[in-house]
Amino acid sequence: MKIERAAVIGAGVMGAGIAAHFANAGIPVVLLDIPVKDGAKEGDRSAIAKGAVAKMLKTDPAPFMHPRNAKLITTGNLEDDLNLLADVDWIVEAIIENPAIKADLYRRIDPVRKEGSVVSSNTSTIPLAVLTEGQSDRFKQDFLITHFFNPPRYMRLLEIVGGPKTRAEALAAVADVGDRRLGKGVVHCKDTPGFIANRIGVLWIQAAVNAAIDLGLTVEEADAVGGRPMGIPKTGIFGLMDLVGLDLMPHIAKSMLATLPANDAYRGVMREHAVITRMIAEGYTGRKGKGGFYRINKAGGGKVKESVNLRTGEYAPSEKARLESVSAAGRDLRKLCEHPDKGGQFARRVLAQTLAYAASLVPEIADSIVAVDEGMRLGYAWKQGPFELIDRLGTGWFAELCKSEGIPVPALVETAAGRPFYRVEDGKLQHLTTAGVYDNVVRPDGVLLLADVKRAAGKPVWKNASASLWDIGDGVLCFEFTSKMNALDGDTMAAYGKAMKLIGDGKSGAWKALVIHNEADNFSVGANLGLALFALNIGLWPQIEEMVEAGQRTYRALRYAPFPVVAAPSGLALGGGCEILLHSDHVQAHAETYVGLVEVGVGLIPAWGGCTEMLARHARNPKAPRGPMPPVAKAFEIISTATVAKSAAEAKELLYFRSTDGITMNRDRLLADAKAKALQLAENYSPPEKDSFVLPGPTARAALELAVEGFALQGKVTTHDKVVCAALAEILSGGADADASKPVGEDELLELERKAFMDLVRTNGTIDRVEHMLTTGKPLRN
């Protein structure tokens, strides 16, 4: 069966977010909620659903990847518009977590939906057997659970649960759409309370709260231990609760306790804490309320970050945690747990309870440890799942930890008998099964992960300190950044040079195409500012200019190489990272790619061809007004404001990406899609022609500077902004000798980029901006 149209019932935060993400995937969707009775006179009985869409268009972070996606949502209400369900292939129910109310809704929609359409519930805790009780056999065959995580656009996990009567075809169709079109990591769960992620996640959070209060930790200390050292987002536990809402936790606890087995470990961990109960009653429910464990006190016109005292419930200015265990352990998780201070005690208690619980639930909640680890990585943004964390500690050491904490050693840990849960054998990743033997970790069809390539190869084709080259098969070479935050430096440029030599003409050697890709959180944050600042401070001007020239030479060589270059970014691609995308033949981007030329924030301009390429794209834009000035003005607007596209779709609109560039929704499929495109381009490849430009010259520069001066008078532009913008205007207008009667070549524009860059790095304003960015991570408004 094919799923081409969808519907979501329930226009709350979750339901509306699911509808928005269907729209992001290009799937038309109906969004229904209860009618507004007193809106009948105005004819707006669908005000709830309409209001949800309007609110999402103003929400940050945005549920829509592009505002135009909202047009794919048809709004209505459950009394007047049930007929709209007759045309959809998949109906998602996302209403209140009450089995009786859900059952009544199912009986209403069953007669009007089309034959063979799928109905699923977005329940987070209620078992499928409870939801289908009393429903028709026809309904049970088409029913399943699809548990999205909030916010649906950004959280990758989609838990799917089928029942004994659910059609295999329905399960397969939903899983395929969830994977390929919605970009989800699909994890098949068993029909148990809380499924995988919430079953483990709620115990983890409760155990952490209990331990923090019992051991006398501040919320900052608990989050410092329970965050990055454990591979958990920097929010930690209390920051996460603020994010999801403190008032949600009692509801989840109530639902879990109503359905969990009598001997479940969560029952022994669950405790109510008076301080939290009081916070909720007083409206301190987290970020959506007046604050939570953390809040911003705006009294007296200031903005002071405060945190709550877990014993008294009183707020005080937040203080950075200073625990010897955290500083001494670094990334060594076992060393953290072995430390005698309260941070080490907290780590031991939380990890012992959480990881033992997870290990005890296989195969009850899922058939393999792989599904459990995937669920926690994608649903709670853990860097590593529970079994991967146990491997960091050692299975034998973890068994002793459980004993010391008075926790029964899980059968699966005893089965491991000191062996790791994961191993690499003959270049393949394997996992331990409940039978005590190892099986290969199997990827879905069409998934190619660089991590798997690296395991199989053992070593790269070539590498240096900042990059590695990997053979990904079929004559395609993959270029991987490996420096800190994938910052770009001289070694990066040298690696590009090596890749070009290895590929040669793309016809006579082992390789015929290059893909630029990595699996880090971010594609690249741009040039290495630390190295640049060091050179600035000791006046290494020739070396700085050579760095600029080397980047220009390298990027242009890739642009006009005799073989295709395909970039496959995800996460941040800023500055020099954005410029490599601009110089590639094709970009196959993950949908969540955030792209921008942000150099003005540190008092510089894009000098590795970024100005030139953006000018070329806007000059070629068929939708732009004709004449020499519009491309100059548009490129100036985007670069001078450091505009960052907040999705791959927005990147197309800003022309960071071409209309022909591709978007991959599922990050796990990105490398395979990029490789396929590279092979397609290699069949009859010829490099592009060089650009030349008709530019207006000094008159355009004067007009742009006048516009900047106007913004300065409004207080929107600083003194040094004007200096940087003047340099940018000089480049984009073509320089002092340009006029509309003669074309300006790429080499002339690149020379203008170099000159402007070198002029700016000598100014105190730019040096101050670079230092401030490196020190604080924020731009300086000087």
Side-chain angles (χ1 to χ4, degrees):
M1 64 176 293
K2 285 188 176 182
I3 294 176
E4 300 294 345
R5 300 179 66 84
V8 178
I9 300 177
V13 172
M14 196 70 203
I18 294 170
H21 200 54
F22 273 121
N24 290 332
I27 298 173
V29 57
V30 172
L31 179 62
L32 304 180
D33 208 303
I34 59 174
V36 178
K37 299 295 186 182
D38 58 3
K41 294 179 182 178
E42 294 79 22
D44 196 14
R45 285 163 54 81
S46 303
I48 294 176
K50 290 178 181 177
V53 175
K55 184 177 180 180
M56 287 193 295
L57 287 167
K58 301 174 183 177
T59 300
D60 186 25
F64 292 111
M65 291 179 175
H66 195 286
R68 65 170 172 261
N69 294 345
K71 295 178 182 178
L72 287 174
I73 300 180
T74 300
T75 55
N77 69 76
L78 285 168
E79 287 186 5
D80 305 325
D81 303 302
L82 275 180
N83 61 299
L84 295 176
L85 301 181
D87 296 325
V88 305
D89 308 298
W90 177 9
I91 302 167
V92 178
E93 168 268 304
I95 64 171
I96 189 170
E97 290 283 79
N98 183 312
I101 296 175
K102 290 179 187 287
D104 179 66
L105 174 66
Y106 299 157
R107 282 188 284 269
R108 292 178 61 197
I109 66 174
D110 198 21
V112 298
R113 66 186 181 93
K114 76 178 184 180
E115 191 68 29
S117 63
V118 179
V119 181
S120 70
S121 175
N122 186 59
T123 181
S124 59
T125 57
I126 304 173
L128 184 143
V130 174
L131 294 173
T132 56
E133 187 176 350
Q135 302 295 332
S136 68
D137 285 343
R138 170 181 179 265
F139 184 85
K140 291 177 181 177
Q141 290 172 3
D142 295 333
F143 185 81
L144 59 150
I145 287 171
T146 51
H147 181 211
F148 291 81
F149 277 66
N150 194 34
R153 170 184 165 182
Y154 300 97
M155 298 304 294
R156 289 189 58 207
L157 180 60
L158 175 61
E159 293 179 321
I160 294 183
V161 181
K165 294 188 176 181
T166 307
R167 291 183 295 116
E169 186 184 17
L171 283 166
V174 167
D176 185 68
V177 169
D179 171 354
R180 296 176 187 273
R181 299 192 67 181
L182 298 178
K184 299 298 179 184
V186 174
V187 174
H188 291 274
C189 313
K190 294 188 178 180
D191 188 20
T192 55
F195 317 121
I196 293 175
N198 277 351
R199 180 75 175 269
I200 297 168
V202 295
L203 179 133
W204 163 62
I205 291 173
Q206 187 67 55
V209 172
N210 294 349
I213 292 174
D214 293 346
L215 295 169
L217 273 74
T218 67
V219 293
E220 292 90 349
E221 288 172 336
D223 286 346
V225 178
R228 285 176 170 168
M230 294 183 186
I232 290 161
K234 64 181 180 180
T235 58
I237 291 93
F238 290 101
L240 174 65
M241 290 180 70
D242 278 355
L243 187 63
V244 301
L246 277 65
D247 54 336
L248 180 63
M249 304 310 293
H251 293 294
I252 292 177
K254 182 179 179 181
S255 180
M256 294 287 283
L257 292 171
T259 53
L260 283 172
N263 62 345
D264 193 85
Y266 178 70
R267 295 185 183 278
V269 171
M270 178 57 201
R271 283 160 49 188
E272 291 187 15
H273 295 283
V275 65
I276 299 176
T277 302
R278 191 175 86 188
M279 288 171 66
I280 295 171
E282 294 176 354
Y284 287 98
T285 55
R287 295 189 188 182
K288 66 182 179 182
K290 296 190 293 185
F293 294 105
Y294 299 96
R295 74 176 185 183
I296 301 297
N297 189 341
K298 299 179 181 179
K303 286 187 177 181
V304 178
K305 184 178 181 181
E306 297 182 336
S307 56
V308 76
N309 184 304
L310 292 173
R311 293 190 182 278
T312 68
E314 301 299 321
Y315 284 93
S318 188
E319 295 183 5
K320 185 176 181 180
R322 290 177 174 84
L323 290 168
E324 186 181 331
S325 53
V326 174
S327 57
R331 296 184 179 183
D332 190 328
L333 192 59
R334 188 192 293 188
K335 193 173 181 180
L336 175 68
C337 290
E338 290 174 339
H339 199 282
D341 77 357
K342 61 182 178 180
Q345 295 175 54
F346 177 80
R348 283 196 299 278
R349 190 175 299 185
V350 173
L351 287 174
Q353 290 179 315
T354 305
L355 303 184
Y357 188 56
S360 72
L361 292 173
V362 178
E364 178 189 338
I365 61 174
D367 288 325
S368 76
I369 65 171
V370 178
V372 173
D373 282 345
E374 186 88 339
M376 293 310 294
R377 284 197 307 271
L378 299 182
Y380 278 80
W382 289 13
K383 289 287 186 184
Q384 296 170 305
F387 295 95
E388 292 167 314
L389 286 170
I390 294 174
D391 276 355
R392 281 180 64 188
L393 296 168
T395 54
W397 187 92
F398 180 71
E400 294 303 315
L401 173 65
C402 290
K403 293 175 185 176
S404 69
E405 291 292 323
I407 298 171
V409 178
L412 202 53
V413 175
E414 292 184 331
T415 298
R419 294 174 296 165
F421 281 112
Y422 292 94
R423 72 178 188 183
V424 176
E425 190 76 11
D426 297 326
K428 293 183 178 179
L429 181 64
Q430 296 184 329
H431 67 95
L432 190 68
T433 68
T434 54
V437 298
Y438 287 96
D439 276 351
N440 290 337
V441 174
V442 179
R443 308 296 184 195
D445 290 341
V447 168
L448 175 64
L449 299 182
L450 187 57
D452 289 342
V453 171
K454 291 160 72 171
R455 271 189 286 265
K459 62 179 182 179
V461 174
W462 184 90
K463 71 174 183 177
N464 64 13
S466 296
S468 297
L469 304 176
W470 298 92
D471 185 345
I472 58 173
D474 300 312
V476 180
L477 198 63
C478 182
F479 186 107
E480 177 195 26
F481 302 128
T482 58
S483 57
K484 184 177 180 181
M485 297 186 74
N486 292 337
L488 312 176
D489 54 24
D491 281 342
T492 312
M493 301 307 159
Y496 278 130
K498 184 63 176 181
M500 285 185 277
K501 286 181 181 177
L502 287 171
I503 300 175
D505 63 4
K507 297 177 177 62
S508 55
W511 293 286
K512 53 190 173 184
L514 180 68
V515 168
I516 303 171
H517 172 73
N518 63 75
E519 291 174 347
D521 289 341
N522 295 308
F523 180 73
S524 174
V525 296
N528 188 324
L529 286 179
L531 288 177
L533 181 61
F534 174 77
L536 292 178
N537 284 333
I538 60 175
L540 296 176
W541 309 118
Q543 289 83 345
I544 295 172
E545 187 160 13
E546 168 53 28
M547 177 195 74
V548 178
E549 290 181 354
Q552 289 185 343
R553 284 196 307 270
T554 302
Y555 281 22
R556 300 320 274 183
L558 284 167
R559 180 82 177 89
Y560 298 112
F563 53 83
V565 176
V566 175
S570 56
L572 294 175
L574 304 177
C578 174
E579 285 176 299
I580 195 61
L581 305 182
L582 293 172
H583 286 79
S584 299
D585 292 292
H586 180 86
V587 175
Q588 186 68 39
H590 180 231
E592 298 296 349
T593 303
Y594 313 110
V595 191
L597 295 171
V598 296
E599 286 85 349
V600 297
V602 288
L604 296 168
I605 51 89
W608 285 342
C611 296
T612 302
E613 283 297 315
M614 285 302 287
L615 193 57
R617 295 200 173 190
H618 285 281
R620 291 193 296 262
N621 183 10
K623 298 179 182 179
R626 296 298 87 197
M629 190 61 193
V632 172
K634 195 62 182 176
F636 181 83
E637 175 192 338
I638 291 170
I639 298 172
S640 68
T641 57
T643 301
V644 175
K646 295 182 180 178
S647 69
E650 283 192 9
K652 284 195 173 190
E653 183 171 277
L654 293 168
L655 302 193
Y656 287 132
F657 297 164
R658 308 172 189 86
S659 61
T660 54
D661 287 336
I663 297 176
T664 297
M665 291 293 284
N666 191 328
R667 188 170 180 172
D668 290 347
R669 297 185 177 276
L670 182 58
L671 182 56
D673 289 350
K675 176 184 172 181
K677 186 63 181 182
L679 290 171
Q680 178 190 338
L681 292 173
E683 291 179 4
N684 295 292
Y685 182 76
S686 58
E689 298 291 329
K690 286 192 173 184
D691 287 302
S692 62
F693 308 87
V694 176
L695 298 173
T699 56
R701 172 176 174 165
L704 294 173
E705 290 182 345
L706 185 62
V708 171
E709 190 62 45
F711 284 115
L713 292 172
Q714 298 174 43
K716 297 179 180 179
V717 171
T718 67
T719 301
H720 198 58
D721 285 337
K722 292 196 288 184
V723 175
V724 178
C725 287
L728 179 61
E730 174 77 3
I731 299 165
L732 296 176
S733 62
D737 298 328
D739 63 57
S741 66
K742 59 180 181 180
V744 177
E746 289 180 3
D747 291 342
E748 294 170 83
L749 284 176
L750 292 172
E751 185 177 347
L752 288 171
E753 287 186 8
R754 289 196 303 273
K755 181 180 183 304
F757 188 96
M758 294 308 299
D759 288 344
L760 288 169
V761 294
R762 287 180 166 90
T763 65
N764 290 330
T766 289
I767 294 172
D768 289 345
R769 285 192 178 191
V770 173
E771 287 182 337
H772 191 268
M773 178 62 74
L774 287 171
T775 303
T776 69
K778 298 177 182 179
L780 175 66
R781 304 296 295 148
N782 59 341

